[in-house]
Amino acid sequence: MTTTYELNGRTAVVTGAASGIGTEIARTLARSGAGVALLSRRADRVQDLAGKIAADGGRALAVAADVTADLTEVVETVHAGLGRVDLLINNAGVMLANPFSEGRMDEWRRMIDTNLTGLLNVTRAFSADLVAAGRDGTADLINVSSVGAHLTFPNYAVYTATKAAVTHLSANLRTEFAALGIRVTNLEPGLVSTELGDHMDNPEVEAHLAAWRAEVPPLSPADIADVVGFAASRPKQVNLRQLMVMPTVQA
């Protein structure tokens, strides 16, 4: 998919940019004229992506970052390389599925830390940028949640709970940010072909996910990136606040 949008002059931050949805969002935004900061713990992957974007004529800055850590230096690096941020996409996330009775607190902490606390941390780090951008132009905060925020799936209780928190947080942030000129979009993908499920350690749950993907052909990361580009390129007065993006055959 090579669709482009009118994003010339915009400066974006994409978390979880090293793979899947984050990578395709970064490519779409850069192709559309935005400068893009690529945040990920996997520095080599985002360095490679930045090189590919540059080779295609875009502007990208690879930034090694842990979304749960102090982001002071990350913000300074982004400002030095690209300037003030007016488009923030909180995409970093992890999905670890096991029966709740297994009591996997290690997985629970990791999902809560990345999916929720990390999102809060990044949003706080760049909120001053968004407020300033909303005062004299367009500012967007786009949070990648999941249809799991509304649906129930055996073995995914804690993951879906973190995504329900993201969806509710997005709605509440809009009550504060809208008056400041910041658009808040909560994006909830359905089944997407990404690495998200590759870190699970339960063979039975993995087999179930594989069977589901065989039954319901998933969307591609580019499909989700296309929706992000569309939402961010609307006129300033238009806020697509809630978007659920599903494969057509996913019930």
Side-chain angles (χ1 to χ4, degrees):
M1 183 178 295
T2 57
T3 306
T4 59
Y5 297 93
E6 180 50 60
L7 295 173
N8 289 320
R10 302 288 300 271
T11 299
V13 166
V14 180
T15 68
S19 65
I21 292 173
T23 291
E24 292 304 322
I25 289 173
R27 285 175 167 160
T28 296
L29 300 182
R31 190 168 60 238
S32 299
V36 186
L38 314 170
L39 271 58
S40 175
R41 290 182 300 174
R42 294 183 284 182
D44 57 335
R45 295 280 292 268
V46 287
Q47 285 284 3
D48 182 60
L49 177 59
K52 291 177 179 176
I53 289 174
D56 290 336
R59 292 182 300 130
L61 176 69
V63 184
D66 177 350
V67 297
T68 68
D70 187 325
L71 296 174
T72 301
E73 290 188 9
V74 170
V75 173
E76 291 173 352
T77 298
V78 173
H79 286 169
L82 295 173
R84 186 183 72 187
V85 173
D86 56 46
L87 173 53
L88 172 59
I89 296 94
N90 281 310
N91 167 73
V94 61
M95 182 176 73
L96 303 169
N98 262 307
F100 189 83
S101 58
E102 293 292 323
R104 291 291 300 274
M105 291 188 68
D106 58 328
E107 294 183 341
W108 301 352
R109 289 193 188 99
R110 187 176 171 194
M111 287 187 284
I112 292 169
D113 286 350
T114 303
N115 300 356
L116 181 57
T117 307
L119 183 149
L120 289 167
N121 194 35
V122 176
T123 303
R124 179 182 63 176
F126 289 101
S127 61
D129 281 27
L130 295 178
V131 169
R135 192 178 298 126
D136 56 29
T138 301
D140 285 285
L141 169 63
I142 300 178
N143 294 328
V144 180
S145 180
S146 166
V147 298
H150 309 282
L151 308 178
T152 56
F153 303 100
N155 306 317
Y156 291 83
V158 178
Y159 171 74
T160 56
T162 64
K163 291 304 186 177
V166 170
T167 289
H168 195 62
L169 174 68
S170 298
N172 278 275
L173 284 178
R174 189 171 182 277
T175 68
E176 300 182 36
F177 283 173
L180 301 174
I182 303 169
R183 304 187 297 197
V184 179
T185 296
N186 188 63
L187 175 59
E188 297 176 341
L191 197 60
V192 183
S193 179
T194 72
E195 298 177 6
L196 191 62
D198 292 353
H199 305 290
M200 296 190 294
D201 62 6
N202 184 315
E204 184 177 342
V205 175
E206 287 182 292
H208 181 269
L209 178 59
W212 190 24
R213 285 175 170 169
E215 180 183 354
V216 179
L219 297 174
S220 72
D223 293 325
I224 307 304
D226 181 50
V227 175
V228 170
F230 180 80
S233 62
R234 295 308 86 202
K236 178 180 171 64
Q237 73 276 12
V238 178
N239 183 185
L240 302 180
R241 62 170 297 272
Q242 178 72 17
L243 297 169
M244 185 179 286
V245 188
M246 308 273 280
T248 301
V249 299
Q250 183 178 352

